[in-house]
């Protein structure tokens, strides 16, 4: 095998490996991002429920 052909094959293999590793990293990052967004949504809903519950409790206490 000529040196130029060998270098071309090595280059193609390195590019393919880089693509595979990059896609794996992106998949892991997206999974963490999805989990983070889910936790933020849960926290936002919990905060809204706490605010609504606090307002309801204050209204109940004000009536007495």
């Amino acid at each position: 095998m000529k040196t130029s052909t060998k270098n071309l094959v090595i280059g193609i293999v390195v590019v393919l490996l880089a693509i595979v590793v990059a896609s794996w990293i992106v998949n892991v990052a997206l999974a963490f991002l999805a989990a983070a967004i889910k936790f933020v949504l849960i926290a936002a809903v919990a905060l809204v429920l706490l605010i609504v519950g606090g307002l309801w409790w204050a209204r109940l206490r004000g009536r007495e």
Side-chain angles (χ1 to χ4, degrees):
M1 192 185 287
K2 286 164 87 176
T3 305
S4 61
T5 308
K6 188 175 171 185
N7 285 343
L8 181 65
V9 169
I10 290 173
I12 291 172
V13 169
V14 166
V15 167
L16 288 176
L17 277 174
I19 290 171
V20 168
V21 169
S23 69
W24 180 75
I25 290 171
V26 167
N27 282 338
V28 170
L30 286 177
F32 278 116
L33 184 65
I37 289 173
K38 187 165 50 171
F39 281 122
V40 166
L41 285 175
I42 290 170
V45 169
L47 190 62
V48 167
L49 287 175
L50 283 172
I51 291 170
V52 169
L55 291 174
W56 175 75
W57 183 256
R59 249 184 78 202
L60 264 179
R61 297 298 251 166
R63 260 195 246 165
E64 291 176 9

